[in-house]
């Protein structure tokens, strides 16, 4: 065992490709062998190729010709994965500039290689404590690297290199940044490591350091020019690294495992915490996008809920409504013939099982916009004398709609007074009862309009019908409540209309709305569906109820607003994504050195990608949570604004909105982080370690 050669280097040539397609040969035909227990000093001028050789031995660079055989493995022939494993288990690196990861504690720095192998927490702490004891730092576990002196940092780096009990320790100018006294302490530690049976190869400029080692190899211009054993070398105290030996069996099993997701998240959390201001600002930016997304969702569904509740409370699902819409020029209507044809067609073609529609199930309605030149309606509401209006141009209110009362209006639709009736007492001083919408209150001033008699004036094709009408009640169907609308029973309206012979002879009143009373919602739905789907000409121009058309109009409006909001929040989310991309990309650049260190310790591409991806995941999660808080505040503000401005706030919250927001935020972050993560994973370790 003593004489067995741990590291054999045969005819190794190494050339660097320069930018202009030329190459520079840094190592010429190097052949040299090393044994366990040696403390080798590599000396030579700056630029002679020492670091190049160290990187080849350490498996950081596999682009060479010739053979390097370490522990029986031919490094030139190893796959990337095997090379990662070699770095993790067989070699330990110590650098001139320590290369500790500043946002991790001493303990976490030392255990990095174990973390990459997914070794359990207890075991990790036990081994790290042991290693730190050997270098005399067992009391500094919790400190951060910046809190240590140079010599202490290098001792931590040595503990980190030793943690996996490697056979070879490579130290590239380990004392280059230290004063003489500290250098000697570090050297003493390296000697103890060599004397415990490991191969320690160190690059040094110091003759004093070299003189203490067991062998000095001199390199000049990429060639070995001298290789001198130190005859005076005496084995001294050695490290007892037995802790690992005892547990080796158990460890072997564990070492097969890779960096766990949890450890990746923990590592990236530490890093994020180290630049918390930057990350919080970024999260805040994303949060604005996420927050407005939630508010937008709540608003859209608020409007939909509002319309639905209005629709269901003011209509009867068992009634199918067919209506022909009136245009400016013409009031389309249903003739007797139309109605019987409709009944026949529905019965023949709508496939309504166990149901036959009869004419008796149909009641009539008339709905018209009353602001057209052809048809207009107004009321006069001057109550100065005896509560009866006397027509006065200035106190006339134009109505927007005239509706005959639908069969499904009930007392619950009435906010004051009663449903209007068609039975007028013989001796009454009015001809009909009407109902009005709450918008009417604005026009009556202090007076309560219910019970008052107004003059109702209807103009149709130039002919005027003028009658006294009693306001029986106020109707509130929400959708319509903001408009001045008049309701009157169909029979009552027909009577008034037909009593004006001039009008009636011109065109007798015909319904433009049909209410079909069915036994169930299913049948009503089936009729509605049939009417919308059929291309039978008798159903041409027929739509549902006015409430339904209005609701559709509102829904369309909401959808349009919703789409605009979606575009806006999509843009803000895109901006967030680019922001994350930029920040992550910068983070990769900032952490180039750290990535190099991780690779020298044996991190695989996959591990690096995992660390960066979990960082973008955390950014997404953090942003999502900030977004939820932001959305909560925004919702309260919007609610207060809307209720004070419009009187009500159509905002509906669904339990899954926060999950949508979190999901969107995480997906965006993870996607934006993919490119920086893969860039990080592809970084060349030698290049990244060279970076200062
Ligand atoms: P040392 O560690 O002995 O100071 P290096 O091994 O770092 O020297 O470098 C040996 C030679 O190889 C130097 O001339 C250096 O300029 C060159 N060299 C090192 N790395 C590269 C590289 N990536 N590309 C081109 N030339 C390089
Ligand atoms: Mg060097």
């Amino acid at each position: 065992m003593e004489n067995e050669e741990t590291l054999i280097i045969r005819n190794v040539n190494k050339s660097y490709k320069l930018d202009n397609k030329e190459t520079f040969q840094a190592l010429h035909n190097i052949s040299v062998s090393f044994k366990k227990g040696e403390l080798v000093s590599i000396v030579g001028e700056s630029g002679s190729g020492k670091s190049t050789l160290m990187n080849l031995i350490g498996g950081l660079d596999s682009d060479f010709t010739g053979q390097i055989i370490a522990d029986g493995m031919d490094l030139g022939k190893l796959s990337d994965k095997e090379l990662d494993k070699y770095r993790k288990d067989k070699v330990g690196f110590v650098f001139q500039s320590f290369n500790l990861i500043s946002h991790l504690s001493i303990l976490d720095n030392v255990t990095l290689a174990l973390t990459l192998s997914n070794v359990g927490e207890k075991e990790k702490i036990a081994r790290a404590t042991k290693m730190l004891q050997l270098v005399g730092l067992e009391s500094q576990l919790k400190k951060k690297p910046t809190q240590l002196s140079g010599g202490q940092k290098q001792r931590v780096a040595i503990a980190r290199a030793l943690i996996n009990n490697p056979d070879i320790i490579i130290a590239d100018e380990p004392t280059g940044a230290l004063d003489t006294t500290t250098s000697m302490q570090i050297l003493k530690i390296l000697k103890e490591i060599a004397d415990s049976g490991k191969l320690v190869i160190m690059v040094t400029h110091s003759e004093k350091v070299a003189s203490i080692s067991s062998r000095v190899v001199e390199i000049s211009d990429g060639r070995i020019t001298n290789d001198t054993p130190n005859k005076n070398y005496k084995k001294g105290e050695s490290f007892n690294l037995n802790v690992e030996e005892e547990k080796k069996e158990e460890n072997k099993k564990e070492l097969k495992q890779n960096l766990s997701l949890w450890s990746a998240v923990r590592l990236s959390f530490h890093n994020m915490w180290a630049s918390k201001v930057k990350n919080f600002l970024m999260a805040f930016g994303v949060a604005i996008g996420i927050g407005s997304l939630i508010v937008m969702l709540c608003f859209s569904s608020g409007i939909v809920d509002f319309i639905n509740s209005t629709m269901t409370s003011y209509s009867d699902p068992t009634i199918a409504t067919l209506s022909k819409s009136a245009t400016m020029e013409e009031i389309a209507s249903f003739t007797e013939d139309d109605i019987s044809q409709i009944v026949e067609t529905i019965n023949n073609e709508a496939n309504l099982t166990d149901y036959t529609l009869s004419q008796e199930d149909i009641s009539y309605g008339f709905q018209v916009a009353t602001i057209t030149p052809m048809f207009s309606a107004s009321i006069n509401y001057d109550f100065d004398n005896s509560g009866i209006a006397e027509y006065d141009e200035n106190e006339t209110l134009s109505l927007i709609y005239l509706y005959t009362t639908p069969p499904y209006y009930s007392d619950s639709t009435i906010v004051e007074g009663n449903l209007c009736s068609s039975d007028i007492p013989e001796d009454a001083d009015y001809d009909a009862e009407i109902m009005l919408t709450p918008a009417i209150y604005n026009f009556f001033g202090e007076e309560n309009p219910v019970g008052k008699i107004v003059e109702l004036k209807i103009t149709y094709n130039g002919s005027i019908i003028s009658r006294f009408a009693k306001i029986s009640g106020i109707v509130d169907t929400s959708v319509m409540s903001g408009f001045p609308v008049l309701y009157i029973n169909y029979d009552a309206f027909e009577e008034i209309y037909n009593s004006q012979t001039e009008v009636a002879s011109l065109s007798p009143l015909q319904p433009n709305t049909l209410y079909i009373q069915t036994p169930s919602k299913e049948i009503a739905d089936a009729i509605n569906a049939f009417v919308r789907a059929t291309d039978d000409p008798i159903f041409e121009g027929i739509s549902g109820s006015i409430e339904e058309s209005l609701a559709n109009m509102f829904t369309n409006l909401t959808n349009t607003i919703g789409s605009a909001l979606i575009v806006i929040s999509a843009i803000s989310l895109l901006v967030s994504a680019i922001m994350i991309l930029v920040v992550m990309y910068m983070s990769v650049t900032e952490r180039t050195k750290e990535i190099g260190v991780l690779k020298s310790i044996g991190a695989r591409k996959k591990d690096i990608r995992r660390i960066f991806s979990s960082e973008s995941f955390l950014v997404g999660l953090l942003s999502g949570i900030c977004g939820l808080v932001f959305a909560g505040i925004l919702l309260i503000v919007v609610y207060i604004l809307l209720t004070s401005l419009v009187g009500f706030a159509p905002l509906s919250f669904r339990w899954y909105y926060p999950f949508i927001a979190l999901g969107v935020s995480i997906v965006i972050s993870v996607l934006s982080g993919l490119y920086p993560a893969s860039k990080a994973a592809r970084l060349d370790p030698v290049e990244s370690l060279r970076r200062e």
Side-chain angles (χ1 to χ4, degrees):
M1 208 54 186
E2 259 304 281
N3 285 326
E4 194 185 307
E5 275 160 348
T6 306
L7 183 66
I8 305 163
I9 298 171
R10 266 190 219 123
N11 306 323
V12 164
N13 288 285
K14 163 74 194 176
S15 292
Y16 288 110
K17 287 183 191 66
L18 302 177
D19 291 339
N20 46 1
K21 285 193 179 168
E22 283 176 40
T23 53
F24 172 80
Q25 191 163 358
L27 294 180
H28 297 266
N29 220 30
I30 301 276
S31 291
V32 62
S33 300
F34 304 101
K35 291 188 198 68
K36 283 185 180 170
E38 283 189 293
L39 175 64
V40 184
S41 278
I42 308 276
V43 297
E45 307 230 313
S46 175
S48 56
K50 305 180 296 294
S51 295
T52 303
L53 183 61
M54 293 301 105
N55 291 336
L56 295 184
I57 295 172
L60 284 174
D61 184 356
S62 53
D63 177 27
F64 62 90
T65 61
Q67 263 187 329
I68 300 178
I69 295 169
D71 260 350
M73 287 182 283
D74 189 342
L75 296 193
K77 291 195 175 126
L78 295 185
S79 68
D80 281 356
K81 258 190 190 169
E82 289 168 321
L83 215 52
D84 290 337
K85 201 164 158 39
Y86 166 75
R87 283 199 299 267
K88 190 152 68 181
D89 302 342
K90 299 293 178 191
V91 273
F93 270 96
V94 178
F95 305 92
Q96 175 178 356
S97 51
F98 324 126
N99 286 347
L100 298 178
I101 296 172
S102 56
H103 58 81
L104 296 181
S105 69
I106 302 309
L107 177 71
D108 287 336
N109 265 287
V110 171
T111 54
L112 256 184
L114 300 178
T115 306
L116 290 173
S117 303
N118 197 19
V119 172
E121 202 63 23
K122 253 191 196 162
E123 168 76 9
K124 260 167 45 172
I125 293 175
R127 283 216 250 168
T129 313
K130 167 84 182 175
M131 293 307 128
L132 285 166
Q133 250 167 21
L134 294 179
V135 298
L137 281 178
E138 68 272 27
S139 56
Q140 321 275 340
L141 283 182
K142 295 255 149 53
K143 282 192 180 167
K144 287 276 163 71
T146 46
Q147 294 165 310
L148 300 184
S149 70
Q152 286 176 316
K153 282 186 204 169
Q154 197 60 299
R155 283 190 268 162
V156 173
I158 292 171
R160 178 177 66 187
L162 285 176
I163 194 92
N164 258 342
N165 197 19
D167 297 325
I168 306 169
I169 299 287
I170 293 169
D172 194 348
E173 303 193 37
T175 59
L178 304 174
D179 61 60
T180 324
T181 327
T182 321
S183 294
M184 284 311 159
Q185 290 168 355
I186 295 298
L187 191 65
K188 185 171 170 281
I189 293 173
L190 290 173
K191 185 176 182 317
E192 286 180 44
I193 294 169
D195 292 345
S196 72
K198 295 190 187 300
L199 168 59
V200 177
I201 306 176
M202 65 178 163
V203 172
T204 182
H205 275 120
S206 153
E207 286 194 12
K208 200 169 175 201
V209 169
S211 69
I212 290 169
S213 50
S214 71
R215 175 179 173 188
V216 180
V217 174
E218 200 180 313
I219 296 185
S220 171
D221 286 334
R223 294 178 178 84
I224 293 180
T225 50
N226 243 318
D227 188 347
T228 331
N230 180 357
K231 290 187 198 88
N232 301 326
Y233 185 80
K234 278 199 270 319
K235 258 191 159 186
E237 274 175 59
S238 68
F239 275 177
N240 172 16
L241 294 159
N242 277 342
V243 174
E244 283 74 38
E245 299 301 325
E246 288 163 23
K247 294 192 174 173
K248 209 151 196 176
E249 274 316 301
E250 189 188 325
N251 293 342
K252 259 188 191 145
K253 198 168 60 208
E254 279 184 302
L255 287 176
K256 289 211 178 66
Q257 292 172 13
N258 300 315
L259 175 69
S260 74
L261 211 55
W262 168 240
S263 302
V265 168
R266 225 174 64 92
L267 281 176
S268 32
F269 181 79
H270 278 295
N271 180 59
M272 281 176 68
W273 189 250
S275 38
K276 42 189 175 298
V277 176
K278 181 184 80 182
N279 282 308
F280 262 107
L281 285 177
M282 171 165 72
F284 187 68
V286 181
I288 292 175
I290 294 297
S292 29
L293 178 75
I294 293 196
V295 173
M296 181 212 82
L297 289 172
C298 289
F299 184 69
S300 293
S301 51
I303 297 272
V304 169
D305 285 356
F306 170 70
I307 290 168
N308 283 345
S309 72
T310 307
M311 287 299 298
T312 46
S313 50
Y314 301 116
S315 62
D316 180 341
T318 65
I319 291 177
T321 307
L322 309 184
S323 67
K324 290 195 172 182
S325 50
T327 64
M328 286 286 179
E329 294 79 28
E330 191 192 24
I331 299 170
S333 55
F334 295 101
T335 63
E336 294 285 320
D337 255 14
D338 289 343
I339 296 169
S340 50
Q341 263 195 64
I342 284 172
V343 170
E344 209 181 297
T345 315
I346 288 179
N347 281 336
N348 291 340
E349 292 175 23
N351 289 327
L352 305 170
T353 38
D354 302 331
Y355 174 72
T356 312
L357 176 61
S358 89
Q359 297 243 4
E360 274 87 79
D361 299 331
I362 297 179
S363 55
Y364 294 169
F366 188 78
Q367 308 179 328
V368 64
T370 49
I371 43 171
T372 69
M374 182 183 54
F375 202 114
S376 67
S378 58
I379 52 171
N380 182 279
Y381 55 94
D382 176 11
F383 303 115
D384 292 345
N385 304 310
S386 70
I388 294 174
E390 276 171 28
Y391 200 80
D392 176 347
E393 277 301 334
N394 295 325
E395 309 212 346
T396 297
L397 167 65
S398 291
L399 301 164
I400 283 185
Y401 286 106
L402 185 149
Y403 281 2
T404 57
T405 319
Y408 45 78
Y409 275 18
S410 64
D411 288 337
S412 67
T413 336
I414 306 295
V415 286
E416 207 163 320
N418 302 299
L419 267 176
C420 58
S421 145
S422 304
D423 300 326
I424 312 297
E426 281 292 322
D427 56 346
D429 48 7
Y430 55 92
D431 307 308
E433 281 191 2
I434 59 171
M435 296 183 296
L436 297 165
T437 44
I440 302 303
Y441 284 123
N442 298 336
F443 299 90
F444 284 96
E446 306 269 294
E447 301 271 0
N448 179 0
V450 175
K452 302 287 186 200
I453 293 167
V454 294
E455 187 182 17
L456 171 65
K457 204 166 137 188
I458 297 168
T459 312
Y460 181 50
N461 266 339
S463 302
I464 296 171
I465 307 169
S466 176
R467 292 286 183 278
F468 286 116
K470 187 177 120 179
I471 301 171
S472 73
I474 302 294
V475 170
D476 190 0
T477 61
S478 252
V479 177
M480 285 307 216
S481 58
F483 308 105
V485 178
L486 178 135
Y487 289 87
I488 184 166
N489 288 352
Y490 189 85
D491 301 344
F493 181 62
E494 192 175 32
E495 206 177 304
I496 294 177
Y497 184 95
N498 289 341
S499 66
Q500 182 74 10
T501 43
E502 198 186 322
V503 176
S505 59
L506 201 71
S507 71
L509 183 71
Q510 283 168 338
N512 67 356
T513 303
L514 303 179
Y515 300 102
I516 305 175
Q517 179 66 62
T518 70
S520 71
K521 179 181 186 299
E522 284 65 38
I523 291 172
D525 287 346
I527 292 177
N528 279 329
F530 170 74
V531 171
R532 275 162 193 71
T534 182
D535 34 7
D536 193 310
I538 193 70
F539 291 105
E540 216 181 290
I542 292 181
S543 61
S545 65
I546 294 257
E547 284 89 345
E548 198 182 316
S549 324
L550 262 165
N552 286 342
M553 192 187 82
F554 273 117
T555 311
N556 287 340
L557 194 71
T558 312
N559 287 344
T560 313
I561 297 172
S563 313
L565 289 174
I566 283 175
V567 170
I568 292 169
S569 57
I571 291 173
S572 79
L573 290 175
L574 185 72
V575 172
S576 313
I578 293 172
M579 194 164 60
I580 295 173
L581 188 78
V582 170
V583 171
M584 294 287 295
Y585 193 86
M586 276 164 41
S587 164
V588 171
T589 316
E590 272 166 28
R591 292 162 72 191
T592 301
K593 196 73 178 264
E594 180 183 332
I595 294 163
V597 173
L598 284 167
K599 287 204 166 171
S600 75
I601 286 174
R604 303 160 305 156
K605 281 185 180 168
K606 201 172 159 184
D607 298 328
I608 306 275
R609 209 178 297 123
R610 195 170 257 194
I611 291 172
F612 277 83
S613 296
S614 46
E615 189 161 327
S616 47
F617 173 85
L618 284 182
V619 165
L621 188 68
L622 179 68
S623 309
I625 293 169
C626 289
L628 292 183
V629 174
F630 181 70
I633 297 169
L634 205 60
L635 278 175
I636 293 171
V637 171
V638 170
Y639 180 85
I640 292 172
L641 274 181
L642 281 180
T643 34
S644 67
L645 291 178
V646 197
F648 76 109
L651 295 170
S652 292
F653 184 78
R654 308 262 199 273
W655 63 267
Y656 52 82
Y657 285 171
F659 295 95
I660 292 183
L662 277 182
V664 166
S665 168
I666 289 170
V667 166
I668 282 181
S669 303
V670 169
L671 285 182
S672 328
L674 280 182
Y675 174 67
S678 86
K679 185 186 151 74
R682 285 196 315 263
L683 280 181
D684 174 16
V686 177
E687 283 294 311
S688 20
L689 284 170
R690 197 181 289 273
R691 202 80 64 87
E692 276 315 319

